[in-house]
Amino acid sequence: MMSSRAVWSGRKYNYGGAYGQPAQGQPAPDNRDPSTLTDENDSGGEVASPEEQAQYEAATQNLLSLIYKGGEIQPGLLEAFQVEGAPPAEGNAPKPELLALATTAVEITKKVDDSAREAGQPLSNDVLKEIAVDSVEFLVEAVEAAGIHEYSEEDMGGALTLFVDMYRPKIIQDGRATEEELKAEWDGLLQADKAGKLKEFTGQDIG
């Protein structure tokens, strides 16, 4: 379970803003006081511009609306996580619960990403990275609240690396980055996870 929002992009966002004005009928997913949900890492990182902050808040509201409806988890969302009894992963294959987490996070992040693009306000790369991390975290909160599965720090890192690999084709297709740029930027997360240095890479404890 993530203890804080990972500042993967190097920007510092006011997370309280995104939660402070929840969509109609949409409470904060873990019942925390929205006004207290701010960036826990006060050192380092460039503060997001007002435009990026507004973009992030709108994207987060969209993200939450895809996970919750009327204060309840969206019907059908958790079906992918019902993996009890599934065959165990073989070799280097990801565990079923990690694959479910990464796949679902990719699906909802794509919807947020495409929605913003269709509205003529495409997400910046930095905001997209934050939404990617948030999608994994919010899903974990929902899955754990439903009593389906508990995710460890190692699980969280594994799901994020899977996410990056799955989202790679869309990043290139949308013209966000070339394959070379991906290796230098997004793949930094993969290398950090393999080396057990996700905390150092993000600047925060993401476990």
Side-chain angles (χ1 to χ4, degrees), residues 5 15-35 37 60-74 138 141-142 145:
R5 309 297 195 261
Y15 300 102
Y19 279 101
Q21 297 177 345
Q24 184 175 2
Q26 176 64 63
D30 51 10
N31 296 319
R32 287 174 287 182
D33 180 358
S35 66
L37 293 179
T60 303
Q61 294 295 346
N62 193 2
L63 177 64
L64 287 170
S65 73
L66 293 170
I67 299 176
Y68 296 91
K69 181 178 181 180
E72 301 292 335
I73 299 171
Q74 287 277 12
F138 294 162
E141 291 176 345

Side-chain angles (χ1 to χ4, degrees), residues 2 5 7 33 115 127 141:
M2 289 185 181
R5 309 297 195 261
V7 185
D33 180 358
S115 176
V127 170
E141 291 176 345

Side-chain angles (χ1 to χ4, degrees), residues 32 39 42-43 45 52-53 55 57 76 78 117 123 126 136 147 150 158 168 170 173 198 206:
R32 287 174 287 182
D39 184 358
D42 292 330
S43 61
E52 279 193 316
Q53 177 64 39
Q55 188 180 83
E57 291 181 14
L78 298 179
R117 187 180 295 271
L123 303 179
D126 287 329
V136 173
E150 292 287 331
R168 181 190 307 272
K170 180 170 175 57
Q173 179 182 344
L198 275 174
I206 77 169

